[in-house]
Short mmCIF file of all heavy atoms in Angstrom, two decimals:
data_model
loop_
_atom_site.label_atom_id
_atom_site.label_comp_id
_atom_site.label_asym_id
_atom_site.label_seq_id
_atom_site.Cartn_x
_atom_site.Cartn_y
_atom_site.Cartn_z
N GLY A 1 -36.96 -18.46 50.24
CA GLY A 1 -36.42 -17.83 51.44
C GLY A 1 -37.45 -16.96 52.12
O GLY A 1 -37.63 -17.02 53.34
N GLU A 2 -38.15 -16.14 51.33
CA GLU A 2 -39.19 -15.28 51.88
C GLU A 2 -40.31 -16.10 52.49
O GLU A 2 -40.80 -15.80 53.59
CB GLU A 2 -39.73 -14.34 50.80
CG GLU A 2 -38.72 -13.31 50.36
CD GLU A 2 -39.16 -12.52 49.14
OE1 GLU A 2 -40.28 -12.75 48.62
OE2 GLU A 2 -38.37 -11.66 48.70
N GLU A 3 -40.71 -17.15 51.78
CA GLU A 3 -41.81 -18.00 52.25
C GLU A 3 -41.47 -18.69 53.57
O GLU A 3 -42.26 -18.68 54.53
CB GLU A 3 -42.13 -19.04 51.19
CG GLU A 3 -43.20 -20.02 51.55
CD GLU A 3 -43.34 -21.11 50.51
OE1 GLU A 3 -43.23 -20.82 49.30
OE2 GLU A 3 -43.56 -22.27 50.91
N LEU A 4 -40.28 -19.30 53.64
CA LEU A 4 -39.92 -20.05 54.84
C LEU A 4 -39.59 -19.13 56.02
O LEU A 4 -39.88 -19.47 57.17
CB LEU A 4 -38.77 -21.00 54.56
CG LEU A 4 -39.08 -22.13 53.57
CD1 LEU A 4 -37.91 -23.10 53.47
CD2 LEU A 4 -40.34 -22.87 53.95
N ALA A 5 -38.99 -17.97 55.75
CA ALA A 5 -38.73 -17.02 56.83
C ALA A 5 -40.05 -16.56 57.44
O ALA A 5 -40.21 -16.54 58.67
CB ALA A 5 -37.94 -15.82 56.31
N GLN A 6 -41.00 -16.23 56.59
CA GLN A 6 -42.32 -15.80 57.08
C GLN A 6 -43.00 -16.93 57.85
O GLN A 6 -43.60 -16.70 58.91
CB GLN A 6 -43.20 -15.35 55.91
CG GLN A 6 -44.55 -14.83 56.34
CD GLN A 6 -44.46 -13.58 57.19
OE1 GLN A 6 -43.60 -12.73 57.00
NE2 GLN A 6 -45.33 -13.47 58.17
N ALA A 7 -42.91 -18.15 57.34
CA ALA A 7 -43.55 -19.30 58.01
C ALA A 7 -42.92 -19.55 59.38
O ALA A 7 -43.63 -19.81 60.36
CB ALA A 7 -43.45 -20.54 57.14
N ALA A 8 -41.59 -19.48 59.45
CA ALA A 8 -40.91 -19.72 60.73
C ALA A 8 -41.28 -18.64 61.75
O ALA A 8 -41.50 -18.94 62.93
CB ALA A 8 -39.40 -19.78 60.53
N LEU A 9 -41.36 -17.40 61.30
CA LEU A 9 -41.76 -16.33 62.22
C LEU A 9 -43.22 -16.47 62.61
O LEU A 9 -43.61 -16.13 63.74
CB LEU A 9 -41.46 -14.96 61.61
CG LEU A 9 -39.96 -14.67 61.46
CD1 LEU A 9 -39.74 -13.40 60.66
CD2 LEU A 9 -39.26 -14.63 62.80
N GLY A 10 -44.04 -17.01 61.73
CA GLY A 10 -45.42 -17.33 62.08
C GLY A 10 -45.48 -18.43 63.13
O GLY A 10 -46.29 -18.38 64.06
N ASP A 11 -44.60 -19.44 62.97
CA ASP A 11 -44.51 -20.50 63.98
C ASP A 11 -44.13 -19.90 65.33
O ASP A 11 -44.67 -20.29 66.37
CB ASP A 11 -43.46 -21.55 63.59
CG ASP A 11 -43.82 -22.33 62.34
OD1 ASP A 11 -45.00 -22.34 61.94
OD2 ASP A 11 -42.88 -22.93 61.75
N LEU A 12 -43.20 -18.95 65.30
CA LEU A 12 -42.77 -18.28 66.53
C LEU A 12 -43.94 -17.53 67.18
O LEU A 12 -44.09 -17.56 68.40
CB LEU A 12 -41.61 -17.32 66.25
CG LEU A 12 -41.07 -16.55 67.44
CD1 LEU A 12 -40.48 -17.51 68.48
CD2 LEU A 12 -40.03 -15.54 66.97
N ALA A 13 -44.76 -16.90 66.36
CA ALA A 13 -45.91 -16.17 66.90
C ALA A 13 -46.81 -17.10 67.70
O ALA A 13 -47.38 -16.70 68.72
CB ALA A 13 -46.70 -15.52 65.76
N MET A 14 -46.93 -18.33 67.23
CA MET A 14 -47.79 -19.30 67.90
C MET A 14 -47.28 -19.70 69.29
O MET A 14 -48.05 -20.13 70.14
CB MET A 14 -47.96 -20.55 67.04
CG MET A 14 -48.55 -20.28 65.67
SD MET A 14 -50.16 -19.50 65.74
CE MET A 14 -51.13 -20.85 66.32
N VAL A 15 -45.97 -19.56 69.50
CA VAL A 15 -45.37 -19.95 70.78
C VAL A 15 -44.65 -18.77 71.46
O VAL A 15 -43.76 -18.97 72.27
CB VAL A 15 -44.39 -21.15 70.61
CG1 VAL A 15 -45.14 -22.39 70.13
CG2 VAL A 15 -43.25 -20.81 69.66
N TRP A 16 -45.05 -17.54 71.09
CA TRP A 16 -44.34 -16.35 71.56
C TRP A 16 -44.24 -16.28 73.08
O TRP A 16 -43.18 -16.00 73.62
CB TRP A 16 -44.98 -15.10 71.00
CG TRP A 16 -44.27 -13.85 71.40
CD1 TRP A 16 -44.76 -12.82 72.14
CD2 TRP A 16 -42.91 -13.49 71.11
NE1 TRP A 16 -43.81 -11.86 72.33
CE2 TRP A 16 -42.65 -12.25 71.70
CE3 TRP A 16 -41.87 -14.12 70.41
CZ2 TRP A 16 -41.43 -11.60 71.62
CZ3 TRP A 16 -40.64 -13.47 70.32
CH2 TRP A 16 -40.43 -12.24 70.92
N SER A 17 -45.32 -16.55 73.78
CA SER A 17 -45.26 -16.44 75.25
C SER A 17 -44.29 -17.48 75.82
O SER A 17 -43.56 -17.20 76.77
CB SER A 17 -46.64 -16.58 75.88
OG SER A 17 -47.21 -17.82 75.57
N GLU A 18 -44.26 -18.67 75.24
CA GLU A 18 -43.29 -19.69 75.66
C GLU A 18 -41.86 -19.27 75.32
O GLU A 18 -40.93 -19.50 76.09
CB GLU A 18 -43.61 -21.03 75.00
CG GLU A 18 -44.94 -21.61 75.39
CD GLU A 18 -45.37 -22.73 74.45
OE1 GLU A 18 -44.51 -23.54 74.05
OE2 GLU A 18 -46.57 -22.77 74.11
N ALA A 19 -41.70 -18.66 74.15
CA ALA A 19 -40.37 -18.22 73.72
C ALA A 19 -39.80 -17.21 74.71
O ALA A 19 -38.62 -17.27 75.05
CB ALA A 19 -40.43 -17.61 72.32
N LEU A 20 -40.65 -16.31 75.18
CA LEU A 20 -40.19 -15.30 76.14
C LEU A 20 -39.76 -15.90 77.46
O LEU A 20 -38.95 -15.32 78.18
CB LEU A 20 -41.29 -14.26 76.38
CG LEU A 20 -41.58 -13.34 75.21
CD1 LEU A 20 -42.74 -12.42 75.54
CD2 LEU A 20 -40.34 -12.54 74.82
N GLN A 21 -40.28 -17.06 77.78
CA GLN A 21 -39.91 -17.73 79.03
C GLN A 21 -38.75 -18.70 78.84
O GLN A 21 -38.24 -19.24 79.82
CB GLN A 21 -41.13 -18.46 79.60
CG GLN A 21 -42.23 -17.51 80.00
CD GLN A 21 -43.51 -18.22 80.40
OE1 GLN A 21 -43.54 -19.43 80.53
NE2 GLN A 21 -44.56 -17.46 80.59
N SER A 22 -38.33 -18.91 77.61
CA SER A 22 -37.24 -19.85 77.34
C SER A 22 -35.89 -19.19 77.64
O SER A 22 -35.80 -17.98 77.79
CB SER A 22 -37.28 -20.30 75.88
OG SER A 22 -36.87 -19.26 75.02
N ALA A 23 -34.87 -20.01 77.69
CA ALA A 23 -33.51 -19.50 77.93
C ALA A 23 -33.06 -18.57 76.81
O ALA A 23 -32.32 -17.63 77.04
CB ALA A 23 -32.54 -20.67 78.08
N SER A 24 -33.52 -18.85 75.57
CA SER A 24 -33.11 -18.04 74.44
C SER A 24 -34.19 -18.02 73.36
O SER A 24 -34.28 -18.96 72.56
CB SER A 24 -31.80 -18.55 73.84
OG SER A 24 -31.47 -17.83 72.67
N PRO A 25 -35.00 -16.96 73.32
CA PRO A 25 -36.00 -16.86 72.25
C PRO A 25 -35.36 -16.91 70.86
O PRO A 25 -35.93 -17.49 69.93
CB PRO A 25 -36.66 -15.51 72.51
CG PRO A 25 -36.48 -15.28 73.97
CD PRO A 25 -35.13 -15.88 74.29
N ALA A 26 -34.16 -16.35 70.72
CA ALA A 26 -33.48 -16.36 69.42
C ALA A 26 -33.14 -17.79 69.00
O ALA A 26 -33.30 -18.16 67.83
CB ALA A 26 -32.22 -15.50 69.47
N ALA A 27 -32.66 -18.59 69.94
CA ALA A 27 -32.33 -19.99 69.61
C ALA A 27 -33.59 -20.76 69.23
O ALA A 27 -33.58 -21.56 68.29
CB ALA A 27 -31.63 -20.66 70.79
N LEU A 28 -34.68 -20.51 69.94
CA LEU A 28 -35.94 -21.16 69.61
C LEU A 28 -36.39 -20.76 68.20
O LEU A 28 -36.77 -21.61 67.39
CB LEU A 28 -37.02 -20.79 70.63
CG LEU A 28 -38.40 -21.35 70.33
CD1 LEU A 28 -38.45 -22.83 70.70
CD2 LEU A 28 -39.46 -20.59 71.07
N ALA A 29 -36.32 -19.48 67.89
CA ALA A 29 -36.71 -19.00 66.56
C ALA A 29 -35.82 -19.62 65.48
O ALA A 29 -36.31 -20.02 64.42
CB ALA A 29 -36.63 -17.48 66.51
N TRP A 30 -34.52 -19.71 65.75
CA TRP A 30 -33.61 -20.30 64.77
C TRP A 30 -33.95 -21.77 64.54
O TRP A 30 -33.93 -22.25 63.40
CB TRP A 30 -32.16 -20.15 65.23
CG TRP A 30 -31.22 -20.54 64.14
CD1 TRP A 30 -30.54 -21.71 64.01
CD2 TRP A 30 -30.90 -19.77 62.98
NE1 TRP A 30 -29.81 -21.71 62.85
CE2 TRP A 30 -30.02 -20.53 62.20
CE3 TRP A 30 -31.28 -18.50 62.53
CZ2 TRP A 30 -29.50 -20.07 60.98
CZ3 TRP A 30 -30.77 -18.04 61.32
CH2 TRP A 30 -29.89 -18.83 60.57
N ASN A 31 -34.28 -22.48 65.58
CA ASN A 31 -34.65 -23.89 65.43
C ASN A 31 -35.95 -24.05 64.64
O ASN A 31 -36.10 -25.02 63.89
CB ASN A 31 -34.74 -24.58 66.79
CG ASN A 31 -33.36 -24.85 67.36
OD1 ASN A 31 -32.40 -25.06 66.62
ND2 ASN A 31 -33.25 -24.82 68.66
N LEU A 32 -36.87 -23.11 64.79
CA LEU A 32 -38.09 -23.14 63.99
C LEU A 32 -37.76 -22.94 62.51
O LEU A 32 -38.34 -23.60 61.64
CB LEU A 32 -39.08 -22.08 64.47
CG LEU A 32 -39.69 -22.33 65.86
CD1 LEU A 32 -40.45 -21.09 66.34
CD2 LEU A 32 -40.58 -23.55 65.86
N LEU A 33 -36.82 -22.03 62.23
CA LEU A 33 -36.39 -21.81 60.85
C LEU A 33 -35.72 -23.07 60.30
O LEU A 33 -36.01 -23.51 59.18
CB LEU A 33 -35.45 -20.61 60.77
CG LEU A 33 -34.96 -20.25 59.37
CD1 LEU A 33 -36.11 -19.81 58.48
CD2 LEU A 33 -33.89 -19.17 59.45
N ARG A 34 -34.84 -23.67 61.08
CA ARG A 34 -34.18 -24.91 60.67
C ARG A 34 -35.20 -26.00 60.35
O ARG A 34 -35.04 -26.75 59.39
CB ARG A 34 -33.29 -25.44 61.78
CG ARG A 34 -31.92 -24.92 61.82
CD ARG A 34 -31.19 -25.68 62.90
NE ARG A 34 -29.84 -25.25 63.03
CZ ARG A 34 -29.06 -25.60 64.03
NH1 ARG A 34 -29.52 -26.39 65.00
NH2 ARG A 34 -27.82 -25.18 64.09
N SER A 35 -36.23 -26.11 61.17
CA SER A 35 -37.27 -27.12 60.95
C SER A 35 -37.99 -26.87 59.64
O SER A 35 -38.30 -27.82 58.91
CB SER A 35 -38.28 -27.11 62.10
OG SER A 35 -37.67 -27.51 63.29
N ARG A 36 -38.28 -25.64 59.34
CA ARG A 36 -38.93 -25.30 58.08
C ARG A 36 -38.04 -25.66 56.89
O ARG A 36 -38.51 -26.18 55.89
CB ARG A 36 -39.29 -23.81 58.03
CG ARG A 36 -40.47 -23.45 58.89
CD ARG A 36 -41.73 -23.97 58.27
NE ARG A 36 -42.90 -23.63 59.07
CZ ARG A 36 -44.12 -23.70 58.60
NH1 ARG A 36 -44.35 -24.09 57.36
NH2 ARG A 36 -45.13 -23.41 59.39
N ILE A 37 -36.74 -25.40 57.02
CA ILE A 37 -35.80 -25.73 55.94
C ILE A 37 -35.73 -27.24 55.76
O ILE A 37 -35.78 -27.75 54.64
CB ILE A 37 -34.41 -25.14 56.21
CG1 ILE A 37 -34.46 -23.62 56.15
CG2 ILE A 37 -33.37 -25.69 55.24
CD1 ILE A 37 -33.22 -22.93 56.68
N ALA A 38 -35.61 -27.96 56.85
CA ALA A 38 -35.51 -29.42 56.79
C ALA A 38 -36.74 -30.03 56.14
O ALA A 38 -36.64 -30.97 55.35
CB ALA A 38 -35.30 -30.00 58.18
N ALA A 39 -37.90 -29.48 56.46
CA ALA A 39 -39.14 -30.01 55.89
C ALA A 39 -39.23 -29.74 54.39
O ALA A 39 -39.87 -30.50 53.66
CB ALA A 39 -40.34 -29.38 56.60
N ARG A 40 -38.58 -28.69 53.90
CA ARG A 40 -38.66 -28.32 52.49
C ARG A 40 -37.47 -28.79 51.67
O ARG A 40 -37.54 -28.87 50.46
CB ARG A 40 -38.77 -26.80 52.41
CG ARG A 40 -39.12 -26.27 51.07
CD ARG A 40 -40.39 -26.86 50.47
NE ARG A 40 -41.60 -26.20 50.85
CZ ARG A 40 -42.10 -25.11 50.28
NH1 ARG A 40 -41.46 -24.54 49.31
NH2 ARG A 40 -43.22 -24.60 50.71
N SER A 41 -36.38 -29.13 52.35
CA SER A 41 -35.15 -29.52 51.65
C SER A 41 -35.32 -30.86 50.95
O SER A 41 -35.86 -31.80 51.51
CB SER A 41 -33.98 -29.59 52.63
OG SER A 41 -32.81 -29.96 51.96
N SER A 42 -34.83 -30.93 49.73
CA SER A 42 -34.94 -32.17 48.95
C SER A 42 -33.82 -33.16 49.28
O SER A 42 -33.88 -34.30 48.89
CB SER A 42 -34.91 -31.84 47.46
OG SER A 42 -33.70 -31.20 47.13
N CYS A 43 -32.82 -32.71 49.99
CA CYS A 43 -31.69 -33.58 50.33
C CYS A 43 -31.63 -33.75 51.84
O CYS A 43 -31.34 -32.81 52.56
CB CYS A 43 -30.39 -32.97 49.80
SG CYS A 43 -28.93 -33.94 50.16
N SER A 44 -31.87 -34.94 52.32
CA SER A 44 -31.95 -35.16 53.77
C SER A 44 -30.63 -34.89 54.49
O SER A 44 -30.63 -34.51 55.64
CB SER A 44 -32.43 -36.57 54.06
OG SER A 44 -31.52 -37.52 53.56
#
């Protein structure tokens, strides 16, 4: 949990200026977290 939360927030840092221009930076950040979970999850 700590590893993937940190990684997702790191992903957000890479697109922070785009996130601020998006309709919802929170939704973008949540989708980055979901992507990290999906990539690590053993059950598709």
Side-chain angles (χ1 to χ4, degrees):
E2 291 171 2
E3 178 186 322
L4 295 186
Q6 183 64 35
L9 292 172
D11 295 342
L12 180 63
M14 301 302 289
V15 297
W16 182 242
S17 60
E18 296 165 41
L20 290 176
Q21 295 172 9
S22 72
S24 175
L28 177 77
W30 189 258
N31 285 329
L32 292 170
L33 182 64
R34 273 186 180 169
S35 294
R36 285 288 180 164
I37 293 168
R40 191 54 86 84
S41 180
S42 60
C43 179
S44 62

